[in-house]
Amino acid sequence: MKQLARANRARFFKLLMIGGALVPAAAMAQAQPADAQGAGEGQTDTSGIDNIVVTARFRNEKLQDTPLSVSALNANIIQNSVLLDVQNIQKFLPNVQLARVSFAGNALAASIRGVSFADLEKTFDPAIGISIDGVFLGTNTGANVDFFDLESVEVLRGPQGTLYGRNTIGGTISMRRTKPTGELGATLHGRYGSYGTYDLDAVVNLPKIGDVASIKLFGLLRKSDSFTRNRYTGEREKGRDFWNIGGSMLLDLGPDTTALLSVDYQKDRSGYPSTVNLTQASGLPFGAGGNICDFTLAIGLGDLGCASQGYLKQAKENYTLANTSLPFRSFIDGVNGSLEINTKLGGFKLTAITGYRNTNDSLLEENTGAPPIPVAPGVALPLFVAARDQSYKQFSQEVRISGNLTDRIDIVAGAYYLHTNYFIKPYPYNGARAAQAYILNGPVQNFTAGQRLDSFAVFAESIIKLGSNVRLTVGGRYTWETKDFNIDFTVPGAFSAKAKKTFSDPTGRVILDWKPNPDTMLYASWSRGFRSGGFNGRATSATSIGPYNPEKVDSYEAGAKSEFFGGKLRLNPTAFWVNYNNKQEDIIRAAGAGTETIVENAASARIWGLELEMQARPTPDLTLRASGGYLNGRYKTFLIPNLANPGTFIDVSSQRNFRRAPKVSFNAGVDYGMQVSSADRVTFTLDYAFIDDLTASPLADTTGARRDVIPAYGTLDASIALLHEGSAIKNLRVSAYARDLLNKGGRLANVLDAGLFYFGVVAPRQQFGIEATVKF
């Protein structure tokens, strides 16, 4: 009966979603006047700070009137501070850590307020929601979006379990691209920088076709070398090699109805710096607790598999020389599409958003960072090779309605459906799909795995005016998710397993806000986030596939949004407390001669912290920016099975790191503009950001070498630009920039204890460049 009920429920939701998508087309005749300006737009007061309008609650609200921890970046900030992609925005945001992940195509590791999840296995769900034009990504592959043709970026901190897509327990990053203008015009951009970097962008808007269709075409190209050189050949390792083309069409289907269709294709053949070996000998036999360092020592190859040839050596070289001769390849091909329809039903706005993504990403790299291993005269082989290929498809449909129920109560309500299907298999290496892991070219792990996901949700939220200056926000969401998983293992031991499970839970939030005066808002809130359980897609035995359990986050927050001196100074402080139950932790551990990735549920954790965002505009030409965050996160308990005494557990919380939660992070920046003629203006931008020590590996390093810690670092960025406005050329911008001005070479950006080996990933530091943008 339960299975029949679930099947009927699934059919009902699918019909609801399809019907919801078709309703706007049938409702054109009932449409009403369109809403006001969209997200990211606002009126500029030359005597004060810009009033940015955000859509964080699916309503057009001024940033200072939104009782949430939300930061907004518009196109000007993105351009002036040379923000290249999503990971770059962390320097503006308190308690936000973002990093590119090399091990999947254009992937992103995100942490907001200490809530993070960085593994790339597609049976695992991201903890931070990434949204592009209202379409949520079901995986963090492809989530490190290049900042190109963007209208706005909004970052919401804390659980967003009411209005937004699934699994937003840590926060949401929402990006909006520009819409077709219906007027003939073009924007061309070029950039040349360090390490042979050259980027080309183009956006072309075509004249409106009749009174109906506005079309925009776009394309981008990213090319560069790596900042690292192969120490044996002296040649630079490969860097970015990415292009993307697409278009969008905006249809005016009536006085109150629009449809926006967007399609793009991307091809990424990028390479990345080779990994760095941090492995230290354990003294145990390889395959029985020993690691790759023990392996090379035992077979007479000395320390070739050890940190003495890796981390200890490469740190002195500022990580600019790489050991391995096997290029790090991380490719992705994908087709993405979305359709957003907006119309009116009586006094309510109806929105239907359909999303589709079809991607294939592949990985081929030497995983330990060890030098080539000599196996015969004139013959050297890579030590440990990873080779995998993953395909992923996603379809989503969201339908929501919004409007006023009375003059004191509004509502946003809707339904959401997400279907994903992924499959992982070996990637060709040495001419064959022999395995996904090799030691000295010998296959040690070969398997295929896949999963189908169906996620359904219904949600509603209302803002209730309790008085002229007091509001109560109440919202809830109920989510059902079914995961159908399978795995077939052939090397080293054959097994097949299948599993299916449904997870469900309610989430919600309550916000009370009060404006004691027009320039100040105080608010307090509770919100709950939910991330469903699942299965371990890289398990090596039938007993380790799971399932693992769902996790829940309860967040309590209080804050203020205030302006002083006629809007010239803005201060937004926030305090929060988070209770974390059944926290999911991804751990890579040794499994014979290979590794496996599993998720464990930590029993409980708690996080508390403070945030402050400040902006000042003492003169129309000068803007000052600063923000800071403090985080205190720890496990209360972390229980694992006691293998020596079945049925009992051991608390290992003292041996577990609360990852990507630096105690202190802050940034400060200045923008200054100077008019040099009636048509020309010069602008200067300076940004400094600091991030305290943070741990990136879930397992604490017990050797005392602090390999689990990414050392604190600061970055100083600067840019200068000349802006010209004319009649033939609407806008010409020529600029020069410096990133991480004071530090050369590279730094450790991520580390991980994989059991068989301990490795690190590096990122470049100092970079220079010039760029030009012209608009016709």
Side-chain angles (χ1 to χ4, degrees):
M1 293 294 292
K2 291 183 179 179
Q3 291 179 344
L4 179 61
R6 283 197 296 267
N8 288 334
R9 187 169 61 213
R11 295 188 186 99
F12 168 75
F13 268 96
K14 290 177 181 177
L15 289 173
L16 176 64
M17 295 295 98
I18 295 171
L22 295 176
V23 164
M28 294 174 194
Q30 305 178 43
Q32 299 294 322
D35 278 357
Q37 61 191 7
E41 298 173 351
Q43 297 177 349
T44 300
D45 182 353
T46 58
S47 64
I49 300 168
D50 293 351
N51 290 319
I52 297 177
V53 174
V54 297
T55 58
R57 299 197 292 174
F58 293 157
R59 304 160 173 92
N60 292 329
E61 299 176 290
K62 291 181 180 179
L63 179 66
Q64 291 301 100
D65 293 336
T66 306
L68 296 174
S69 294
V70 55
S71 300
L73 305 175
N74 59 26
N76 286 335
I77 294 176
I78 292 171
Q79 186 177 58
N80 290 341
S81 295
V82 196
L83 303 180
L84 306 182
D85 49 31
V86 172
Q87 65 165 337
N88 290 155
I89 66 176
Q90 72 167 10
K91 67 182 180 182
F92 288 112
L93 308 172
N95 292 329
V96 175
Q97 306 300 316
L98 304 170
R100 175 183 289 164
V101 181
S102 309
F103 298 89
N106 224 20
L108 181 73
S111 173
I112 297 180
R113 292 180 173 175
V115 178
S116 67
F117 199 88
D119 197 270
L120 302 166
E121 176 57 50
K122 291 177 176 55
T123 57
F124 304 150
D125 299 318
I128 308 301
I130 305 294
S131 170
I132 305 173
D133 291 338
V135 177
F136 269 80
L137 277 59
T139 172
N140 53 1
T141 297
N144 189 36
V145 178
D146 278 86
F147 278 177
F148 157 73
D149 191 35
L150 283 184
E151 179 180 77
S152 66
V153 180
E154 296 178 17
V155 181
L156 288 69
R157 296 183 292 277
Q160 306 297 322
T162 303
L163 297 179
Y164 283 90
R166 57 189 294 268
N167 295 327
T168 56
I169 62 169
T172 296
I173 301 174
S174 177
M175 291 162 276
R176 285 276 177 185
R177 291 175 288 197
T178 65
K179 295 179 181 178
T181 64
E183 299 178 358
L184 180 62
T187 300
L188 306 177
H189 171 259
R191 177 187 297 119
Y192 180 78
S194 301
Y195 314 120
T197 295
Y198 66 90
D199 301 339
L200 300 174
D201 308 333
V203 178
V204 178
N205 278 283
L206 302 179
K208 196 168 187 177
I209 301 174
D211 294 324
V212 178
S214 300
I215 296 175
K216 179 187 74 174
L217 305 176
F218 59 83
L220 67 87
L221 175 69
R222 302 285 184 263
K223 287 273 192 177
S224 75
D225 294 326
S226 172
F227 76 99
T228 52
R229 291 183 184 272
N230 184 289
R231 71 169 65 249
Y232 308 107
T233 66
E235 296 180 354
R236 289 204 179 274
E237 294 191 290
K238 189 177 179 181
R240 295 297 306 277
D241 184 0
F242 171 74
W243 58 269
N244 177 237
I245 57 171
S248 59
M249 180 168 59
L250 179 63
L251 299 175
D252 292 318
L253 302 176
D256 315 298
T257 302
T258 62
L260 177 63
L261 174 66
S262 299
V263 179
D264 70 272
Y265 172 75
Q266 59 180 319
K267 185 172 184 178
D268 192 345
R269 292 296 179 266
S270 297
Y272 294 92
S274 298
T275 54
V276 173
N277 195 344
L278 283 75
T279 316
Q280 294 186 357
S282 71
L284 298 173
F286 183 69
N291 55 45
I292 212 75
C293 178
D294 298 305
F295 173 72
T296 59
L297 290 170
I299 64 175
L301 293 174
D303 64 348
L304 291 180
C306 307
S308 52
Q309 290 291 323
Y311 169 69
L312 298 178
K313 184 177 182 178
Q314 292 169 280
K316 298 176 183 178
E317 304 163 339
N318 284 334
Y319 301 106
T320 56
L321 295 181
N323 284 336
T324 180
S325 59
L326 183 67
F328 194 130
R329 301 174 181 173
S330 186
F331 297 165
I332 185 170
D333 295 89
V335 176
N336 311 304
S338 65
L339 173 64
E340 178 176 340
I341 301 175
N342 287 284
T343 189
K344 288 293 186 81
L345 289 176
F348 292 90
K349 178 181 178 181
L350 183 64
T351 300
I353 301 176
T354 306
Y356 175 76
R357 297 177 69 87
N358 186 343
T359 61
N360 186 85
D361 67 279
S362 54
L363 173 73
L364 179 63
E365 51 95 25
E366 200 287 317
N367 228 348
T368 69
I373 307 299
V375 295
V379 178
L381 299 176
L383 181 54
F384 190 105
V385 173
R388 68 171 181 264
D389 194 353
Q390 297 185 91
S391 61
Y392 174 81
K393 294 181 181 180
Q394 170 183 323
F395 171 81
S396 63
Q397 179 66 61
E398 181 169 353
V399 178
R400 63 176 183 262
I401 192 168
S402 59
N404 294 322
L405 296 175
T406 71
D407 60 351
R408 303 182 72 87
I409 302 174
D410 78 351
I411 191 169
V412 174
Y416 176 79
Y417 169 67
L418 172 69
H419 172 80
T420 69
N421 194 341
Y422 109 101
F423 187 71
I424 182 172
K425 59 186 177 182
Y427 183 72
Y429 174 61
N430 285 341
R433 291 182 183 266
Q436 289 170 302
Y438 303 79
I439 293 181
L440 297 179
N441 280 7
V444 295
Q445 200 173 87
N446 185 6
F447 70 94
T448 61
Q451 177 178 277
R452 292 170 58 90
L453 162 75
D454 285 291
S455 178
F456 309 92
V458 290
F459 58 89
E461 182 177 87
S462 285
I463 300 176
I464 305 166
K465 296 180 181 178
L466 301 180
S468 60
N469 57 355
V470 179
R471 299 182 300 177
L472 177 67
T473 303
V474 180
R477 186 183 191 100
Y478 200 93
T479 302
W480 302 266
E481 294 196 348
T482 299
K483 295 181 177 179
D484 191 347
F485 173 73
N486 66 86
I487 187 169
D488 290 288
F489 223 95
T490 57
V491 176
F495 77 89
S496 296
K498 294 183 179 181
K500 185 176 182 179
K501 192 171 177 64
T502 297
F503 308 92
S504 62
D505 207 66
T507 55
R509 71 177 171 194
V510 178
I511 308 171
L512 183 66
D513 67 83
W514 171 49
K515 296 195 73 170
N517 60 64
D519 297 324
T520 304
M521 181 179 69
L522 306 176
Y523 71 92
S525 69
W526 163 84
S527 58
R528 170 171 288 181
F530 160 78
R531 185 161 58 148
S532 69
F535 301 97
N536 297 312
R538 295 204 300 274
T540 59
S541 69
T543 58
S544 60
I545 67 169
Y548 53 88
N549 296 320
E551 63 178 4
K552 294 180 183 179
V553 169
D554 285 285
S555 178
Y556 305 87
E557 180 177 313
K561 297 196 173 182
S562 53
E563 291 186 343
F564 304 91
F565 309 114
K568 292 184 178 181
L569 174 64
R570 180 176 294 169
L571 292 175
N572 294 345
T574 309
F576 58 90
W577 179 280
V578 177
N579 285 325
Y580 215 145
N581 293 310
N582 282 331
K583 187 177 187 300
Q584 297 171 6
E585 288 286 3
D586 55 305
I587 294 178
I588 303 176
R589 64 187 184 187
T595 64
E596 71 174 354
T597 303
I598 65 165
V599 167
E600 292 181 347
N601 288 97
S604 62
R606 68 105 180 100
I607 312 168
W608 68 270
L610 304 170
E611 295 165 352
L612 175 64
E613 293 185 281
M614 183 275 287
Q615 281 184 286
R617 195 175 184 185
T619 73
D621 295 326
L622 178 64
T623 300
L624 306 175
R625 298 173 274 103
S627 70
Y630 174 81
L631 267 180
N632 189 307
R634 68 172 182 85
Y635 291 109
K636 294 190 287 186
T637 57
F638 196 136
L639 304 180
I640 64 171
N642 184 355
L643 300 181
N645 189 5
T648 64
F649 296 86
I650 303 173
D651 185 356
V652 295
S653 55
S654 62
Q655 303 168 23
R656 294 292 189 269
N657 288 322
F658 206 90
R659 290 185 291 171
R660 298 201 172 274
K663 290 278 187 183
V664 176
S665 60
F666 67 85
N667 63 79
V670 57
D671 296 302
Y672 178 72
M674 180 174 60
Q675 201 74 29
V676 295
S677 73
S678 60
D680 300 304
R681 183 175 180 83
V682 176
T683 64
F684 304 88
T685 298
L686 193 68
D687 294 298
Y688 178 79
F690 172 83
I691 297 176
D692 207 351
D693 288 353
L694 61 90
T695 55
S697 180
L699 302 176
D701 184 6
T702 58
T703 68
R706 299 185 83 234
R707 294 173 297 170
D708 53 340
V709 176
I710 304 297
Y713 66 96
T715 58
L716 179 65
D717 300 345
S719 70
I720 180 172
L722 171 66
L723 288 78
H724 171 81
E725 294 185 359
S727 55
I729 298 177
K730 292 182 180 178
N731 182 281
L732 172 64
R733 183 180 189 274
V734 180
S735 65
Y737 65 88
R739 303 172 62 81
D740 207 350
L741 182 62
L742 305 180
N743 299 283
K744 294 183 179 181
R747 64 174 181 85
L748 275 180
N750 195 16
V751 296
L752 189 61
D753 181 358
L756 281 182
F757 44 86
Y758 208 128
F759 68 92
V761 176
V762 295
R765 301 214 69 174
Q766 188 182 90
Q767 299 173 70
F768 299 96
I770 56 174
E771 59 182 3
T773 304
V774 60
K775 295 182 180 180
F776 298 98

